[in-house]
Amino acid sequence: MAASARIVESAPPEVAGIVRERLRPRLAAIDAGEYPADILRALGATGAYGHHADGTAAGLLAAIDAMTEVGQACLSTAFCMWCQDALVWYLARGDEADPRRHLAALASGAALGGTGLSNPMKAFSGIEPLALQGERAGSGYRVRGRLPWVSNLGPGHRFAGILALPDGRRVMGLFEAGTDAVSVAANARFVALEGTGTYTVMVRDAHLSEADVITHDAAAFVPRIRNGFVLLQTGMGLGLARGAAALMRADARGRTNAAFLPLGPEAIEARADALRARVAAAAEAHAATDRATFLETLRLRLDVSWLALEAAQSAMLQAGARGYLEGAEAFRRLREAQFVAIVTPSVKHITTELARGA
């Protein structure tokens, strides 16, 4: 277990303190739908969202480790961290300089924002059409469409979106949520992750100015950011798996009676350690744009999803009937693990890509 401890210690100690003192006392409220804006801002103040802005493998790993630390306690908050991290990733890598005027505030947590690329990532894989359509209008673009789920949003929060032009080109830009032209609405209630600021976004003839265009060639840009986009998500799954292992260790009575279950906490931690080592290796190649590298990234993301699901299932099985009660910690972790498997790129998305091959 020493190797596991060393991995967790790579997250900044301030993050661990925020988790212990501010996040854990509010787990039930966040699970019920409270958006933890103050905690997200505090995490940003530790540098948690800025590590990877330099584009280095070490920076990516530092961002993933901070997310892992938070994910051990709360996947809702870890997911919001990923949304923030993804937006920082786009802006730092973008072709155009003007949108980077927002980078410092987002990297520090002074401003919060969402990713907005769930639909485009599926569109580039041929799973669904691009939801946003645009056309030239003066010094920018007029944009309309509907994005069903964008997370880590609130009034004034920014998110990225990709729009299709009539000539087939695709443009990626930055939008501000909560305006008349970019309105948000909570149209569904989820079984988990209610506290993530997730909304349907309606874009009604919004003006995207040139100053908010991240790239005029999103088709070329997405392959440059997609490995980092996916690798950053591994912090959620690794954190949840380690949290499930910790929950199993804390339940002494259940652990005695569950000694012969196929996956115990030591095995969970060992698999998490091995996956974290693979993440470190994959981070070194994040800038590669070839399909073979991307497929390897997807395989890694898939393996993290399976571990999160199996670890949460083991914690639930160990808890037994006590885990089946409303408000049970083991059941919360199981619900969260299912989200790891369905967030874009989901298990079915990844397996479809892998089946297509190179």
Side-chain angles (χ1 to χ4, degrees), residues 95-110:
D95 294 331
E96 306 298 332
D98 283 346
R100 288 199 284 273
R101 70 189 184 276
H102 300 292
L103 186 56
L106 289 163
S108 69

Side-chain angles (χ1 to χ4, degrees), residues 24-243:
R24 288 194 179 277
R26 289 168 58 184
L27 291 177
I30 294 169
D31 187 46
E34 179 184 281
Y35 175 63
D38 58 321
I39 293 175
L40 292 169
R41 294 184 192 280
L43 290 166
T46 73
Y49 313 136
H51 297 301
H52 59 306
D54 61 4
T56 65
L60 269 176
L61 286 172
I64 290 166
D65 286 338
M67 198 185 307
T68 298
E69 182 79 25
V70 172
Q72 291 186 67
C74 178
L75 192 75
S76 291
T77 308
F79 173 57
C80 288
M81 291 179 73
W82 173 74
C83 295
Q84 188 86 5
D85 281 338
L87 186 55
V88 168
W89 186 244
Y90 311 152
L91 294 180
R93 313 263 80 70
D95 294 331
E96 306 298 332
D98 283 346
R100 288 199 284 273
R101 70 189 184 276
H102 300 292
L103 186 56
L106 289 163
S108 69
L112 299 176
T115 164
L117 258 65
S118 176
N119 163 255
M121 287 295 182
K122 287 181 278 192
F124 283 127
S125 293
I127 295 174
E128 62 186 38
L130 272 177
L132 299 183
Q133 306 294 314
E135 57 187 26
R136 264 294 181 184
S139 60
Y141 300 90
R142 184 167 65 247
V143 186
R144 66 189 69 85
R146 174 181 177 272
L147 293 171
W149 292 345
V150 183
S151 301
N152 207 37
L153 289 190
H157 293 199
R158 288 180 168 81
F159 66 95
I162 294 180
L163 51 125
L165 300 180
D167 62 6
R169 289 182 298 123
R170 295 166 177 180
V171 173
M172 182 174 179
L174 199 61
F175 298 85
E176 181 178 342
T179 67
D180 289 341
V182 186
S183 61
V184 299
N187 291 334
R189 184 164 181 85
F190 307 111
V191 300
L193 280 90
E194 270 292 289
T196 57
T198 299
Y199 297 95
T200 294
V201 179
M202 296 297 301
V203 183
R204 300 180 178 90
D205 290 326
H207 179 69
L208 175 65
S209 72
E210 282 290 340
D212 287 325
V213 172
I214 297 171
T215 177
H216 290 278
D217 188 358
F221 180 65
V222 167
R224 302 204 304 269
I225 63 167
R226 63 187 180 185
N227 286 312
F229 175 96
V230 175
L231 287 172
L232 283 164
Q233 291 183 340
T234 62
M236 292 189 286
L238 291 174
L240 193 144
R242 293 192 188 281

